Amino acid sequence: MYIEAVPNRNSPPAILLRETYRQNGRFCKRTLCNLSHWPAAHVEGLRGVLKGGTVIPAGRDAFTVIRSLPHGHVAAAVATARKIGLEGILGPDGNRCRDLALAMLIGRILDPVSKLATARALSPATASSSLGEALGLGDVDDDELYAALDWLLVRQPAIEAILAKRHLTNGMLVLYDVSSSYMEGSCCPRAKRGYSRDGRRGTLQIVYGLLCASDGCPVAIEVFDGNTGDPKTLAPQIEKLKQRFHLDRVVLVGDRGMITQARITEDLKAAGLDWITALRAPAIKELLNSGALQLTLFDQRDMASITSPDFPGERLIVCRNPDLAAERTRKREDLLAATEKDLARVKAAVERKRNPLRGSAEIALKVGEVLNTHKMKKHFDLEITDAGLSFARKTDAIAAEAATDGIYVVRTSLAEDTLGDAETVRSYKSLSLVERAFRCIKTVDLHIRPVYHWLEDRVRAHVFLCMLAYYLEWHMRQKLAPMLFDDTDREAAEARRKSVVAQAQRSKAATKKQTTGLTEDGLPVHSFQSLLADLATLARNTITTAITPHYPLTVLTRPTPVQQKAFDLLGIKRAQ
């Protein structure tokens, strides 16, 4: 038997239930019933039964959802990791430590928590997402994750060498910068008191240096003691580039606090590497005092290349940003005014008739509190006596400092025919890509701290794991950029910029995306984290039906337009 739609000339097709039979050696058919008056759903149900299907009773017992887990963000991360070959980079197939390390770094992107919480999130009974199931991990305990961390640390040199081979070549720029994170407890040998970039004075911390390719893709990371100065981290990176990555000719880009004159002389020149960095404020003042730098250079332009006998064989590119100059002038004036206001309050306390402030030591203590708050001591002349206080601005010193507002000097060993002035300045400014990596690793996405480890090797492995997580996130961001607030039209943005010295501009497309909150195809614009949260609503459901109560089925919810767009950009045909 079968159902057939028979066309009618002036009316809808007739839906007929028919059967075929054989008569006198010929196949014939006859109509058993006219189903034209049936609802379409009933007709399709009968059609399914005739094809061998089974009728499921109507009602809420037709199927039961046993469990529903967030899945879309897992599918996106796992598929991207496999497309970029991250599994193969981590280690060979069939290695459970490799699979656990992959799970931990993906989990760092989806939900950065402790290793104990990660073990619970991956185990089937307590899973918070489909990540453990997608990677086929089964039951996971925290001891296994610690063992996987130890295994990953042993693999770090080989993994970094693979990444360097992929993303670094001779003659290209290599970006390097340093950051720090404070620690809880006092058990880690690497945790020391030092300059805190988190603004947490007096706390133990670790320092770590990140090497990136010129496009900001992370390649290698190294952990140092918390009291290590930035310049002291440079020599190990040079050795890493030369010995482990076998790169003889690269241009190392670092900030002015790291690539100092001593490091250039003792490390970079000795290794035969070129560099791009910048001068510190005292060196700029020396150029002004010696006459090598003339402020009249900037009457008609904002960038000029000069040389100085103090920097033989180097090119100095002096830049002046008028917007930065105005902002620094405004900030200085605000601080000077605030300092004067607070000093006037102390002076009033000294001069009041009732219970005046007395004693040079007591007055100096109050004055010191003011100066430490606003950091303007160098701009004031102070006279403190047992019963008096006077202060005045150092107008000459303030004017001298104001003359250098907005001026910075980029220094490089590269000749102009190798890399022009504008490209050299642009290369130095590309250090912002490393700063973006630190923001993602430290606060925005991956949350490197709190560090739930005390052993030195575990801390190093944890930091390396966070770098690998950012490596995966970096690739996802590149693909998903049209759906994010990121600017995807860099050439148009650069064309809107008057000069490489001027503040970076967003393209018209990026500005429109930001103001309207919509992409070109009318979908809402997301941050990376909000897009992951949206993808997570695509669920992986385990269900049973009334006719197969003992045989669970896995069913995915249908992706929304936003989710489907994300999968299309990532090159994922369907979430699995």
Side-chain angles (χ1 to χ4, degrees), residues 164-186:
K165 188 174 182 180
R166 277 191 174 192
H167 301 285
L168 301 181
T169 58
N170 274 316
M172 73 178 300
L173 297 176
V174 178
L175 311 179
Y176 178 64
D177 206 352
V178 168
S179 189
S180 62
S181 290
Y182 61 96
M183 306 275 286
E184 284 82 13
S186 57

Side-chain angles (χ1 to χ4, degrees), residues 16-69:
L16 305 178
L17 177 63
R18 289 181 165 180
E19 70 172 353
T20 57
Y21 62 94
R22 190 165 185 164
Q23 184 177 11
N24 298 328
R26 298 175 59 188
F27 283 99
C28 304
K29 61 182 178 181
R30 58 172 170 246
T31 300
L32 301 178
C33 183
N34 189 337
L35 308 178
S36 300
H37 61 286
W38 279 27
H42 292 180
V43 173
E44 292 303 316
L46 179 58
R47 194 192 304 273
V49 171
L50 294 177
K51 290 181 178 180
T54 305
V55 176
I56 298 177
R60 60 183 182 180
D61 294 332
F63 69 91
T64 302
V65 179
I66 299 176
R67 193 170 191 188
S68 184
L69 291 173

Side-chain angles (χ1 to χ4, degrees), residues 98-168:
R98 190 280 304 268
D99 296 337
L100 290 173
L102 180 63
M104 283 191 288
L105 72 89
I106 292 177
R108 206 78 213 163
I109 297 175
L110 307 183
D111 185 22
V113 292
S114 68
K115 303 303 181 291
L116 178 60
T118 301
R120 292 173 179 169
L122 293 174
S123 297
T126 55
S128 59
S129 73
S130 63
L131 180 57
E133 185 178 351
L135 296 177
L137 298 179
D139 290 327
V140 177
D141 61 49
D142 52 324
D143 287 336
E144 282 189 297
L145 296 185
Y146 292 137
L149 271 182
D150 297 338
W151 174 87
L152 184 65
L153 184 63
V154 174
R155 289 277 303 159
Q156 180 174 354
I159 293 172
E160 290 179 343
I162 296 173
L163 295 179
K165 188 174 182 180
R166 277 191 174 192
H167 301 285
L168 301 181

Side-chain angles (χ1 to χ4, degrees), residues 234-470:
L234 193 62
Q237 310 311 314
I238 295 174
E239 181 181 1
K240 187 181 297 183
L241 291 169
K242 297 279 289 187
Q243 303 300 326
R244 284 174 44 192
F245 301 161
H246 307 292
L247 296 171
D248 298 324
R249 296 176 293 102
V250 295
V251 182
L252 194 62
V253 184
D255 67 22
R256 67 193 75 190
M258 180 175 321
I259 302 183
T260 61
Q261 184 61 51
R263 299 283 67 78
I264 290 174
T265 304
E266 298 175 14
D267 298 329
L268 288 168
K269 287 184 177 181
L273 299 182
D274 290 305
W275 68 88
I276 298 175
T277 185
L279 293 182
R280 292 182 172 183
I284 296 177
K285 291 182 180 178
E286 288 295 328
L287 288 176
L288 282 169
N289 295 335
S290 66
L293 172 56
Q294 301 289 333
L295 294 179
T296 54
L297 289 171
F298 305 107
D299 291 343
Q300 302 294 330
R301 52 185 172 177
D302 59 5
M303 181 174 62
S305 179
I306 65 173
T307 58
S308 170
D310 294 333
F311 304 94
E314 295 186 33
R315 187 160 46 104
L316 304 179
I317 305 162
V318 187
C319 307
R320 186 179 188 276
N321 186 334
D323 295 330
L324 179 60
E327 175 60 20
R328 287 185 175 176
T329 301
R330 180 200 64 79
K331 186 175 180 180
R332 183 191 302 106
E333 183 57 37
D334 289 347
L335 290 172
L336 288 171
T339 304
E340 285 179 325
K341 182 178 179 181
D342 291 344
L343 288 176
R345 189 178 295 114
V346 177
K347 183 176 181 180
V350 173
E351 296 175 348
R352 65 193 174 200
K353 293 182 179 180
R354 183 177 180 182
N355 192 24
L357 182 63
R358 288 290 181 265
S360 59
E362 293 296 326
I363 297 173
L365 187 62
K366 294 294 183 181
V367 171
E369 291 178 359
V370 173
L371 298 178
N372 286 335
T373 299
H374 303 296
K375 310 299 182 185
M376 288 285 109
K377 179 181 179 180
K378 61 182 178 180
H379 291 319
F380 282 91
D381 282 321
L382 299 168
E383 184 176 348
I384 301 173
T385 63
D386 287 338
L389 168 65
S390 63
F391 58 89
R393 292 188 182 188
K394 296 179 179 178
T395 54
D396 292 341
I398 294 173
E401 184 179 270
T404 61
D405 282 348
I407 291 180
Y408 57 94
V409 181
V410 177
R411 64 185 295 196
T412 181
S413 60
L414 296 171
E416 187 174 0
D417 55 357
T418 302
L419 195 68
D421 292 347
E423 283 304 316
T424 302
V425 174
R426 186 176 289 109
S427 299
Y428 179 73
K429 288 189 171 186
S430 64
L431 281 173
S432 62
L433 298 175
V434 191
E435 295 172 358
R436 177 177 183 176
F438 281 136
R439 284 197 300 273
C440 290
I441 291 175
K442 293 178 64 172
T443 56
V444 179
D445 300 322
L446 307 176
H447 299 282
I448 194 172
R449 66 163 315 278
V451 181
Y452 297 98
H453 305 285
W454 292 352
L455 300 179
E456 177 183 345
D457 286 350
R458 294 273 171 81
V459 172
R460 292 169 54 207
H462 170 74
V463 173
F464 181 52
L465 183 77
C466 290
M467 189 214 81
L468 291 175
Y470 180 69

